[in-house]
């Protein structure tokens, strides 16, 4: 790799998804396929607005600490609070954030040149020490952070100038600059965070960041209110909304009513049933956006009979995925052949290599009850019903799992549905004790950055936080490490493709679908990104009034 090559110059030129017309929406009366109506952005809101109310369909966040957010609700809120060192854009491309420039000066040295003039909400200046502290905190066991693995190759993090931080690594790591655009790369004030301790990011402990909004209240069980940061450093992104209030509405019917009445202005992750009602109204628009979400059925632990890949293959053979996408997801999605949706690498320089490797995978199986029964006989039918978890009140999950339950019954496999409260459902992804007694979990997961190898590593390598069944294939681990450390995009894609061919047929999981992002805004506001990139960008700063 050439010396002094600026990573962000490369990354910004290869956005993950190409933007489409910003006026597209899902409330269309024609038969245009959903895929042809995808859009990354919406018409900019032109005027200031005093107050915007936004729903969180997955319920109240468990934390807003950027080191610990790893679910829909907390990331939806936190993305507007704590700026990251590199920034995700609506089309999934990356651009400079708190770091004006990110440069590999050699294969072992990543240099972050920070912006000057950036202040925290309390008016104090952002310093290299804050950046060093925020990154080091990710790998401190006391933090219980979710993203410490991104620092696996990092040997030191030091302030090397008044506006500079340098990371020394064991070798080139193409994931690092991309990871800096996620909550892993968010910067918190060192003094405030140390004082708050374990309460940092909670209703009691608060936050101290540099983002376009700051939290002013958090009423447990009710909502979180953000206020505009009038001293925000990015003048081009100064929010037009003076206040944004998040309400926790997990019941689909309640959410639909609140959106129809105007009590709530908008939401991401709009349930299909709500979309059906809202499309018929003239209160606003339902927008479909490209997404890196994946719908999976995965075992909750290694001891469960569901951890047997043969049994999972049997389940896979009786699930009609096309019917699932059409009837449960309202046609807003496509079938999925592996862990990572193809849109993840759409803008990569080696997209052709990724596409070819994905195309080479076996086709999504068509329903075959007879063959599935033979696999059940080979694996041994479970002696009891399999307990499958979904979040309580989420009709989309309930409909999907009911669909799967009916299919499994055809081959003599009974499934009991267990609905968990949103906080418990969120915790099960990171706390093994919550998964005790759960055989299956229906997940609506997502890839947070344009890097398939790092996402997959969390599920199929021994160190992975989502590797709940202790899956271990040394060759897969080796290839994913190669994909991460290869400075040549083609070499990285080739290594990933080889790993994908190995883990796809062997890791315990049923790949179901990749869904599109479904977002709603009423007529009085506009500007929110329509793509799934909202999870990693200050999306509320784009909101504005329409005068309607």
């Amino acid at each position: 790799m050439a010396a002094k090559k600026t990573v962000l110059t490369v990354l910004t030129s290869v956005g993950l998804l190409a933007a489409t017309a910003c006026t597209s929406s899902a409330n269309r009366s024609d038969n245009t396929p959903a895929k042809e109506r995808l859009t990354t952005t919406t018409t900019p809101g032109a005027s200031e607005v005093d107050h915007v109310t936004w729903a969180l369909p997955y319920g109240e966040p468990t934390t807003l600490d950027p080191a610990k957010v790893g679910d829909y609700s907390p990331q939806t809120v936190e993305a507007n609070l704590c700026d990251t060192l590199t920034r995700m854009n609506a089309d999934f491309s990356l651009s400079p954030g708190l770091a004006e420039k990110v440069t590999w000066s050699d294969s072992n040295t990543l240099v972050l040149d920070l912006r000057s003039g950036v202040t925290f909400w309390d008016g104090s200046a952002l310093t290299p020490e804050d950046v060093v502290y925020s990154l080091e905190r990710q790998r401190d066991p006391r933090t219980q952070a979710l993203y410490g693995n991104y620092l696996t190759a990092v040997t030191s993090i030091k302030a090397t100038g008044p506006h500079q931080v340098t990371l020394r690594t064991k070798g080139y790591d193409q994931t690092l600059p991309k990871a800096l655009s996620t909550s892993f790369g968010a910067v918190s004030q060192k003094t405030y965070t140390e004082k708050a301790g374990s309460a940092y990011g909670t209703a009691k402990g608060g936050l101290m960041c540099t983002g376009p909004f700051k939290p002013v209240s958090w009423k447990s069980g009710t909502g979180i209110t953000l206020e505009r940061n009038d001293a925000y450093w990015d003048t081009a992104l100064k929010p037009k909304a003076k206040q944004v209030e998040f309400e926790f509405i997990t019941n689909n019917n309640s959410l639909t009513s609140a959106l129809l009445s105007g009590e709530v202005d908008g939401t991401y992750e709009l349930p299909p049933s709500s979309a059906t009602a809202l499309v018929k109204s003239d209160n606003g628009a339902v927008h479909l956006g490209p997404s890196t979400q994946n719908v999976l059925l995965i075992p909750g632990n290694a001891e469960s009979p569901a951890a047997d890949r043969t049994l999972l293959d049997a389940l896979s053979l009786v699930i009609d995925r096309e019917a699932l996408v059409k009837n449960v997801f309202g046609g807003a999605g496509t079938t999925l052949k592996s862990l990572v949706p193809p849109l993840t690498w759409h803008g990569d320089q080696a997209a052709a290599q990724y596409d070819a490797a994905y195309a080479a995978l076996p086709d999504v199986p068509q329903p075959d009850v007879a063959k599935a029964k033979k696999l059940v006989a080979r694996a041994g039918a479970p002696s009891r019903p399999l307990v499958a978890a979904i979040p309580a009140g989420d009709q989309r999950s309930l409909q999907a799992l009911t669909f799967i339950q009916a299919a499994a019954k055809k081959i003599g496999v009974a499934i009991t549905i267990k609905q968990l409260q949103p906080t418990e459902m969120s915790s099960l992804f990171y706390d093994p004790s919550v998964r005790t007694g759960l055989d299956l979990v229906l997940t609506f997961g997502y890839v947070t950055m344009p890097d398939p190898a790092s996402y997959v590593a969390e599920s199929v390598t021994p160190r992975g936080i989502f590797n709940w069944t202790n899956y271990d294939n040394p060759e897969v681990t080796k290839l994913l490490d190669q994909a991460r450390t290869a400075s040549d995009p083609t070499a990285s894609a080739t290594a990933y493709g080889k790993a994908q061919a190995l883990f796809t047929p062997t890791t315990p999981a049923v790949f179901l679908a990749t869904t599109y992002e479904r977002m709603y805004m009423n007529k009085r506001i506009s500007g929110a990104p329509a793509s799934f990139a909202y999870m990693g960008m200050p999306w509320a700063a784009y909101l504005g009034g329409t005068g309607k």
Side-chain angles (χ1 to χ4, degrees):
M1 185 174 188
K4 299 293 183 182
K5 188 174 183 180
T6 304
V7 173
L8 284 186
T9 301
V10 177
L11 294 178
T12 304
S13 68
V14 289
L16 177 59
L17 303 171
T20 57
C22 65
T23 54
S24 298
S25 69
N27 51 336
R28 294 272 294 272
S29 59
D30 60 30
N31 294 316
T32 305
K35 188 174 183 179
E36 295 180 16
R37 292 184 265 133
L38 301 184
T39 177
T40 60
T41 59
T42 59
T43 304
S47 61
E48 287 204 346
V49 59
D50 288 333
H51 185 270
V52 172
T53 303
W54 204 264
L56 295 178
Y58 282 94
E60 184 171 0
T62 53
T63 180
L64 294 179
D65 180 348
K68 300 178 182 179
V69 297
D71 200 0
Y72 288 91
S73 289
Q75 288 196 238
T76 302
V77 179
E78 185 273 335
N80 298 290
L81 299 172
C82 299
D83 285 321
T84 51
L85 289 158
T86 62
R87 178 178 284 172
M88 180 74 73
N89 302 314
D91 65 352
F92 283 80
S93 65
L94 303 183
S95 60
L98 291 177
E100 287 186 306
K101 188 168 64 172
V102 178
T103 310
W104 284 100
S105 60
D106 59 52
S107 60
N108 299 92
T109 310
L110 185 65
V111 180
L112 313 180
D113 289 310
L114 307 178
R115 295 182 185 276
S116 59
V118 177
T119 59
F120 290 101
W121 300 321
D122 65 359
S124 64
L126 170 74
T127 69
E129 287 71 27
D130 295 307
V131 175
V132 172
Y133 171 78
S134 296
L135 292 175
E136 288 285 12
R137 182 172 175 263
Q138 297 277 355
R139 57 180 173 186
D140 184 340
R142 294 173 297 179
T143 306
Q144 296 182 313
L146 302 180
Y147 309 105
N149 282 347
Y150 291 143
L151 294 171
T152 299
V154 175
T155 57
S156 70
I157 308 171
K158 296 181 179 179
T160 50
H163 300 290
Q164 189 180 83
V165 170
T166 299
L167 286 70
R168 293 286 296 172
T169 68
K170 298 174 184 177
Y172 180 81
D173 183 355
Q174 58 95 18
T175 299
L176 263 179
K178 300 174 184 178
L180 294 175
S181 70
T182 71
S183 54
F184 162 78
V187 179
S188 298
Q189 187 192 70
K190 177 181 179 181
T191 303
Y192 185 100
T193 309
E194 286 181 330
K195 184 177 180 180
S198 61
Y200 187 70
T202 67
K204 179 181 178 181
L207 287 165
M208 185 54 65
C209 293
T210 64
F213 289 92
K214 51 188 176 182
V216 291
S217 75
W218 183 344
K219 297 178 181 178
S220 184
T222 303
I224 295 172
T225 302
L226 310 184
E227 187 178 86
R228 181 171 70 188
N229 174 15
D230 287 320
Y232 189 47
W233 60 270
D234 189 350
T235 55
L237 199 58
K238 180 182 177 181
K240 294 183 177 68
K242 296 180 181 178
Q243 192 176 74
V244 177
E245 181 180 358
F246 292 95
E247 293 190 358
F248 318 137
I249 309 178
T250 58
N251 181 277
N252 288 4
N253 292 332
S254 298
L255 176 61
T256 303
S257 297
L259 292 169
L260 284 171
S261 68
E263 175 189 339
V264 172
D265 294 304
T267 187
Y268 285 107
E269 310 311 321
L270 181 72
S273 59
S274 299
T276 300
L278 289 162
V279 160
K280 297 175 183 177
S281 76
D282 59 358
N283 294 13
V286 179
H287 302 270
L288 288 180
S291 173
T292 57
Q293 293 169 285
N294 55 6
V295 186
L296 309 172
L297 188 65
I298 55 180
N301 57 78
E303 290 71 38
S304 168
D308 184 340
R309 177 67 198 232
T310 302
L311 182 61
L312 291 176
D313 284 341
L315 290 174
S316 179
L317 275 171
V318 289
I319 298 172
D320 186 337
R321 291 163 174 78
E322 292 181 359
L324 179 71
V325 170
K326 179 181 178 180
N327 299 323
V328 177
F329 305 140
T334 60
T335 57
L336 185 65
K337 295 167 70 173
S338 188
L339 277 172
V340 177
L343 287 175
T344 304
W345 57 73
H346 184 79
D348 194 280
Q349 294 179 64
Q353 283 77 18
Y354 282 110
D355 285 338
Y358 188 81
L361 294 173
D363 291 336
V364 171
Q366 295 299 310
D368 189 333
V369 175
K371 187 175 180 180
K373 285 182 177 179
K374 292 179 181 178
L375 290 177
V376 172
R378 185 192 307 169
S383 59
R384 57 173 177 78
L386 300 177
V387 179
I390 56 170
D394 181 13
Q395 290 301 308
R396 181 177 64 166
S397 293
L398 181 58
Q399 290 170 3
L401 193 50
T402 300
F403 184 96
I404 294 167
Q405 183 186 49
K409 189 176 180 180
K410 297 176 183 178
I411 55 174
V413 177
I415 294 177
T416 298
I417 299 175
K418 184 173 184 178
Q419 299 191 48
L420 304 180
Q421 291 305 307
T423 53
E424 190 177 13
M425 187 71 189
S426 180
S427 297
L428 76 77
F429 288 93
Y430 310 103
D431 185 350
S433 67
V434 181
R435 297 194 298 273
T436 301
L438 297 180
D439 297 294
L440 293 165
V441 180
L442 180 66
T443 71
F444 287 78
Y446 49 86
V447 186
T448 58
M449 59 180 174
D451 185 48
S454 62
Y455 175 84
V456 167
E458 297 292 359
S459 297
V460 304
T461 63
R463 65 177 181 268
I465 194 170
F466 302 128
N467 185 0
W468 301 342
T469 58
N470 303 319
Y471 178 86
D472 185 9
N473 182 321
E475 184 64 16
V476 168
T477 300
K478 176 184 175 182
L479 288 166
L480 291 176
D481 284 341
Q482 289 177 4
R484 179 172 179 162
T485 57
S487 58
D488 176 59
T490 300
S492 179
T494 299
Y496 175 78
K498 291 179 179 178
Q500 179 182 244
L502 293 174
F503 70 70
T504 297
T506 57
T507 188
V510 179
F511 317 119
L512 296 171
T514 174
T515 56
Y516 302 140
E517 178 55 43
R518 189 187 273 110
M519 182 266 289
Y520 173 83
M521 288 184 295
N522 64 24
K523 286 183 175 180
R524 79 180 194 96
I525 59 169
S526 189
S531 76
F532 191 69
Y534 82 89
M535 291 278 280
M537 62 183 290
W539 60 268
Y542 292 86
L543 288 173
T546 62
K548 296 181 181 179

Tab-separated table of all heavy atoms in Angstrom, residues 459-494:
chain	number	residue	atom	x	y	z
A	459	SER	N	-20.032	-13.731	14.354
A	459	SER	CA	-20.944	-14.876	14.438
A	459	SER	C	-20.278	-16.224	14.238
A	459	SER	O	-20.795	-17.243	14.719
A	459	SER	CB	-22.061	-14.724	13.392
A	459	SER	OG	-22.851	-13.583	13.649
A	460	VAL	N	-19.128	-16.249	13.549
A	460	VAL	CA	-18.581	-17.563	13.184
A	460	VAL	C	-17.144	-17.795	13.629
A	460	VAL	O	-16.549	-18.820	13.286
A	460	VAL	CB	-18.683	-17.794	11.655
A	460	VAL	CG1	-20.115	-17.654	11.186
A	460	VAL	CG2	-17.764	-16.843	10.884
A	461	THR	N	-16.569	-16.884	14.385
A	461	THR	CA	-15.225	-17.123	14.917
A	461	THR	C	-15.304	-17.315	16.436
A	461	THR	O	-16.250	-16.837	17.067
A	461	THR	CB	-14.266	-15.963	14.595
A	461	THR	OG1	-14.732	-14.766	15.237
A	461	THR	CG2	-14.182	-15.725	13.094
A	462	PRO	N	-14.339	-18.005	17.025
A	462	PRO	CA	-14.396	-18.288	18.471
A	462	PRO	C	-14.536	-17.045	19.339
A	462	PRO	O	-15.135	-17.094	20.402
A	462	PRO	CB	-13.063	-18.998	18.738
A	462	PRO	CG	-12.735	-19.647	17.436
A	462	PRO	CD	-13.201	-18.685	16.381
A	463	ARG	N	-13.995	-15.921	18.894
A	463	ARG	CA	-14.062	-14.699	19.698
A	463	ARG	C	-15.350	-13.902	19.480
A	463	ARG	O	-15.576	-12.892	20.131
A	463	ARG	CB	-12.871	-13.799	19.375
A	463	ARG	CG	-12.858	-13.267	17.938
A	463	ARG	CD	-11.696	-12.321	17.691
A	463	ARG	NE	-11.693	-11.801	16.333
A	463	ARG	CZ	-11.041	-12.339	15.306
A	463	ARG	NH1	-10.337	-13.450	15.503
A	463	ARG	NH2	-11.081	-11.798	14.098
A	464	GLY	N	-16.186	-14.335	18.531
A	464	GLY	CA	-17.360	-13.558	18.147
A	464	GLY	C	-18.415	-13.470	19.232
A	464	GLY	O	-18.800	-14.467	19.849
A	465	ILE	N	-18.939	-12.267	19.445
A	465	ILE	CA	-19.920	-12.042	20.508
A	465	ILE	C	-21.267	-12.677	20.176
A	465	ILE	O	-22.071	-12.968	21.061
A	465	ILE	CB	-20.071	-10.523	20.772
A	465	ILE	CG1	-20.811	-10.273	22.083
A	465	ILE	CG2	-20.782	-9.830	19.609
A	465	ILE	CD1	-20.793	-8.832	22.526
A	466	PHE	N	-21.536	-12.937	18.880
A	466	PHE	CA	-22.800	-13.554	18.488
A	466	PHE	C	-22.638	-15.030	18.132
A	466	PHE	O	-23.556	-15.641	17.577
A	466	PHE	CB	-23.420	-12.796	17.307
A	466	PHE	CG	-23.661	-11.348	17.592
A	466	PHE	CD1	-23.200	-10.361	16.735
A	466	PHE	CD2	-24.338	-10.958	18.731
A	466	PHE	CE1	-23.409	-9.026	17.001
A	466	PHE	CE2	-24.553	-9.622	19.020
A	466	PHE	CZ	-24.089	-8.649	18.151
A	467	ASN	N	-21.494	-15.596	18.445
A	467	ASN	CA	-21.262	-17.022	18.213
A	467	ASN	C	-21.772	-17.804	19.418
A	467	ASN	O	-21.021	-18.212	20.293
A	467	ASN	CB	-19.767	-17.282	17.985
A	467	ASN	CG	-19.472	-18.728	17.621
A	467	ASN	OD1	-20.375	-19.556	17.542
A	467	ASN	ND2	-18.201	-19.027	17.407
A	468	TRP	N	-23.073	-18.016	19.450
A	468	TRP	CA	-23.724	-18.609	20.618
A	468	TRP	C	-23.608	-20.131	20.663
A	468	TRP	O	-23.928	-20.742	21.687
A	468	TRP	CB	-25.206	-18.231	20.632
A	468	TRP	CG	-25.446	-16.758	20.664
A	468	TRP	CD1	-24.559	-15.761	21.016
A	468	TRP	CD2	-26.666	-16.091	20.314
A	468	TRP	NE1	-25.145	-14.536	20.916
A	468	TRP	CE2	-26.447	-14.696	20.493
A	468	TRP	CE3	-27.919	-16.516	19.892
A	468	TRP	CZ2	-27.436	-13.750	20.243
A	468	TRP	CZ3	-28.907	-15.575	19.640
A	468	TRP	CH2	-28.664	-14.209	19.817
A	469	THR	N	-23.186	-20.751	19.582
A	469	THR	CA	-23.131	-22.213	19.534
A	469	THR	C	-21.699	-22.741	19.491
A	469	THR	O	-21.473	-23.926	19.235
A	469	THR	CB	-23.895	-22.740	18.305
A	469	THR	OG1	-23.323	-22.156	17.124
A	469	THR	CG2	-25.369	-22.385	18.388
A	470	ASN	N	-20.734	-21.863	19.720
A	470	ASN	CA	-19.314	-22.238	19.739
A	470	ASN	C	-18.845	-22.789	18.390
A	470	ASN	O	-18.002	-23.689	18.323
A	470	ASN	CB	-19.030	-23.268	20.839
A	470	ASN	CG	-19.455	-22.758	22.207
A	470	ASN	OD1	-19.249	-21.594	22.534
A	470	ASN	ND2	-20.069	-23.623	23.001
A	471	TYR	N	-19.378	-22.258	17.322
A	471	TYR	CA	-18.945	-22.662	15.981
A	471	TYR	C	-17.472	-22.319	15.813
A	471	TYR	O	-17.032	-21.218	16.165
A	471	TYR	CB	-19.774	-21.918	14.934
A	471	TYR	CG	-19.384	-22.225	13.499
A	471	TYR	CD1	-19.923	-23.307	12.825
A	471	TYR	CD2	-18.483	-21.409	12.812
A	471	TYR	CE1	-19.580	-23.584	11.506
A	471	TYR	CE2	-18.126	-21.674	11.498
A	471	TYR	CZ	-18.682	-22.757	10.848
A	471	TYR	OH	-18.334	-23.023	9.545
A	472	ASP	N	-16.714	-23.263	15.282
A	472	ASP	CA	-15.279	-23.038	15.148
A	472	ASP	C	-14.740	-23.804	13.947
A	472	ASP	O	-14.636	-25.021	13.960
A	472	ASP	CB	-14.550	-23.473	16.426
A	472	ASP	CG	-13.058	-23.161	16.393
A	472	ASP	OD1	-12.615	-22.462	15.456
A	472	ASP	OD2	-12.347	-23.605	17.307
A	473	ASN	N	-14.428	-23.059	12.894
A	473	ASN	CA	-13.788	-23.618	11.724
A	473	ASN	C	-12.501	-22.823	11.516
A	473	ASN	O	-12.545	-21.664	11.094
A	473	ASN	CB	-14.689	-23.501	10.502
A	473	ASN	CG	-14.084	-24.129	9.255
A	473	ASN	OD1	-12.879	-24.025	9.014
A	473	ASN	ND2	-14.922	-24.764	8.443
A	474	PRO	N	-11.343	-23.401	11.858
A	474	PRO	CA	-10.075	-22.660	11.777
A	474	PRO	C	-9.816	-22.043	10.411
A	474	PRO	O	-9.255	-20.949	10.319
A	474	PRO	CB	-9.031	-23.728	12.125
A	474	PRO	CG	-9.768	-24.708	12.974
A	474	PRO	CD	-11.142	-24.758	12.399
A	475	GLU	N	-10.229	-22.725	9.352
A	475	GLU	CA	-10.000	-22.186	8.007
A	475	GLU	C	-10.852	-20.938	7.774
A	475	GLU	O	-10.394	-19.962	7.158
A	475	GLU	CB	-10.314	-23.246	6.952
A	475	GLU	CG	-10.016	-22.816	5.523
A	475	GLU	CD	-8.542	-22.556	5.251
A	475	GLU	OE1	-7.697	-22.994	6.060
A	475	GLU	OE2	-8.227	-21.907	4.233
A	476	VAL	N	-12.083	-20.954	8.273
A	476	VAL	CA	-12.948	-19.775	8.166
A	476	VAL	C	-12.337	-18.605	8.923
A	476	VAL	O	-12.269	-17.475	8.416
A	476	VAL	CB	-14.364	-20.088	8.699
A	476	VAL	CG1	-15.164	-18.796	8.867
A	476	VAL	CG2	-15.088	-21.031	7.760
A	477	THR	N	-11.871	-18.876	10.134
A	477	THR	CA	-11.248	-17.821	10.944
A	477	THR	C	-10.023	-17.254	10.237
A	477	THR	O	-9.825	-16.030	10.188
A	477	THR	CB	-10.848	-18.376	12.319
A	477	THR	OG1	-12.014	-18.865	12.984
A	477	THR	CG2	-10.197	-17.303	13.173
A	478	LYS	N	-9.226	-18.123	9.667
A	478	LYS	CA	-8.021	-17.693	8.951
A	478	LYS	C	-8.377	-16.815	7.752
A	478	LYS	O	-7.761	-15.753	7.532
A	478	LYS	CB	-7.245	-18.931	8.493
A	478	LYS	CG	-6.008	-18.628	7.655
A	478	LYS	CD	-5.358	-19.918	7.167
A	478	LYS	CE	-4.197	-19.648	6.223
A	478	LYS	NZ	-3.597	-20.915	5.722
A	479	LEU	N	-9.356	-17.230	6.978
A	479	LEU	CA	-9.746	-16.478	5.782
A	479	LEU	C	-10.351	-15.119	6.140
A	479	LEU	O	-10.106	-14.117	5.458
A	479	LEU	CB	-10.730	-17.297	4.951
A	479	LEU	CG	-10.125	-18.492	4.211
A	479	LEU	CD1	-11.218	-19.425	3.714
A	479	LEU	CD2	-9.257	-18.008	3.041
A	480	LEU	N	-11.147	-15.068	7.208
A	480	LEU	CA	-11.728	-13.794	7.622
A	480	LEU	C	-10.651	-12.836	8.118
A	480	LEU	O	-10.733	-11.622	7.902
A	480	LEU	CB	-12.791	-14.017	8.697
A	480	LEU	CG	-14.073	-14.716	8.215
A	480	LEU	CD1	-15.002	-14.980	9.390
A	480	LEU	CD2	-14.792	-13.873	7.162
A	481	ASP	N	-9.644	-13.377	8.774
A	481	ASP	CA	-8.506	-12.547	9.181
A	481	ASP	C	-7.767	-12.011	7.957
A	481	ASP	O	-7.330	-10.855	7.936
A	481	ASP	CB	-7.549	-13.345	10.070
A	481	ASP	CG	-8.065	-13.532	11.487
A	481	ASP	OD1	-8.963	-12.751	11.880
A	481	ASP	OD2	-7.576	-14.437	12.190
A	482	GLN	N	-7.642	-12.835	6.943
A	482	GLN	CA	-7.010	-12.376	5.702
A	482	GLN	C	-7.830	-11.274	5.044
A	482	GLN	O	-7.267	-10.292	4.538
A	482	GLN	CB	-6.848	-13.553	4.738
A	482	GLN	CG	-5.797	-14.573	5.158
A	482	GLN	CD	-5.728	-15.759	4.198
A	482	GLN	OE1	-6.408	-15.788	3.168
A	482	GLN	NE2	-4.910	-16.751	4.535
A	483	ALA	N	-9.135	-11.440	5.063
A	483	ALA	CA	-10.008	-10.423	4.476
A	483	ALA	C	-9.877	-9.093	5.213
A	483	ALA	O	-9.931	-8.023	4.614
A	483	ALA	CB	-11.460	-10.897	4.509
A	484	ARG	N	-9.678	-9.175	6.501
A	484	ARG	CA	-9.558	-7.972	7.320
A	484	ARG	C	-8.217	-7.274	7.119
A	484	ARG	O	-8.144	-6.044	7.162
A	484	ARG	CB	-9.736	-8.347	8.792
A	484	ARG	CG	-9.611	-7.195	9.758
A	484	ARG	CD	-9.989	-7.627	11.164
A	484	ARG	NE	-9.858	-6.530	12.120
A	484	ARG	CZ	-10.421	-6.509	13.316
A	484	ARG	NH1	-11.172	-7.512	13.707
A	484	ARG	NH2	-10.258	-5.484	14.126
A	485	THR	N	-7.175	-8.031	6.897
A	485	THR	CA	-5.835	-7.453	6.870
A	485	THR	C	-5.287	-7.210	5.466
A	485	THR	O	-4.204	-6.633	5.326
A	485	THR	CB	-4.846	-8.369	7.621
A	485	THR	OG1	-4.861	-9.676	7.037
A	485	THR	CG2	-5.249	-8.485	9.091
A	486	ALA	N	-6.016	-7.626	4.450
A	486	ALA	CA	-5.539	-7.416	3.078
A	486	ALA	C	-5.727	-5.962	2.667
A	486	ALA	O	-6.830	-5.420	2.751
A	486	ALA	CB	-6.288	-8.334	2.116
A	487	SER	N	-4.662	-5.318	2.223
A	487	SER	CA	-4.760	-3.922	1.795
A	487	SER	C	-5.327	-3.800	0.385
A	487	SER	O	-5.819	-2.737	0.000
A	487	SER	CB	-3.391	-3.244	1.854
A	487	SER	OG	-2.451	-3.928	1.040
A	488	ASP	N	-5.286	-4.883	-0.383
A	488	ASP	CA	-5.842	-4.892	-1.725
A	488	ASP	C	-7.312	-5.317	-1.667
A	488	ASP	O	-7.619	-6.413	-1.189
A	488	ASP	CB	-5.058	-5.855	-2.615
A	488	ASP	CG	-5.663	-5.966	-3.996
A	488	ASP	OD1	-5.767	-4.936	-4.678
A	488	ASP	OD2	-6.060	-7.091	-4.387
A	489	PRO	N	-8.245	-4.484	-2.140
A	489	PRO	CA	-9.680	-4.818	-2.055
A	489	PRO	C	-10.037	-6.147	-2.700
A	489	PRO	O	-10.881	-6.888	-2.185
A	489	PRO	CB	-10.346	-3.641	-2.778
A	489	PRO	CG	-9.391	-2.513	-2.635
A	489	PRO	CD	-8.032	-3.141	-2.701
A	490	THR	N	-9.402	-6.458	-3.821
A	490	THR	CA	-9.708	-7.722	-4.494
A	490	THR	C	-9.265	-8.918	-3.660
A	490	THR	O	-9.987	-9.916	-3.543
A	490	THR	CB	-9.031	-7.767	-5.875
A	490	THR	OG1	-9.521	-6.680	-6.676
A	490	THR	CG2	-9.322	-9.082	-6.578
A	491	ALA	N	-8.088	-8.815	-3.051
A	491	ALA	CA	-7.597	-9.896	-2.200
A	491	ALA	C	-8.510	-10.083	-0.994
A	491	ALA	O	-8.796	-11.211	-0.575
A	491	ALA	CB	-6.173	-9.606	-1.745
A	492	SER	N	-8.980	-8.972	-0.437
A	492	SER	CA	-9.890	-9.042	0.704
A	492	SER	C	-11.195	-9.723	0.314
A	492	SER	O	-11.701	-10.597	1.019
A	492	SER	CB	-10.164	-7.626	1.238
A	492	SER	OG	-11.059	-7.663	2.328
A	493	ALA	N	-11.750	-9.324	-0.827
A	493	ALA	CA	-13.006	-9.908	-1.298
A	493	ALA	C	-12.849	-11.391	-1.615
A	493	ALA	O	-13.747	-12.200	-1.342
A	493	ALA	CB	-13.493	-9.160	-2.538
A	494	THR	N	-11.705	-11.761	-2.171
A	494	THR	CA	-11.456	-13.165	-2.502
A	494	THR	C	-11.413	-14.025	-1.243
A	494	THR	O	-12.006	-15.108	-1.188
A	494	THR	CB	-10.139	-13.303	-3.281
A	494	THR	OG1	-10.235	-12.559	-4.504
A	494	THR	CG2	-9.851	-14.760	-3.603
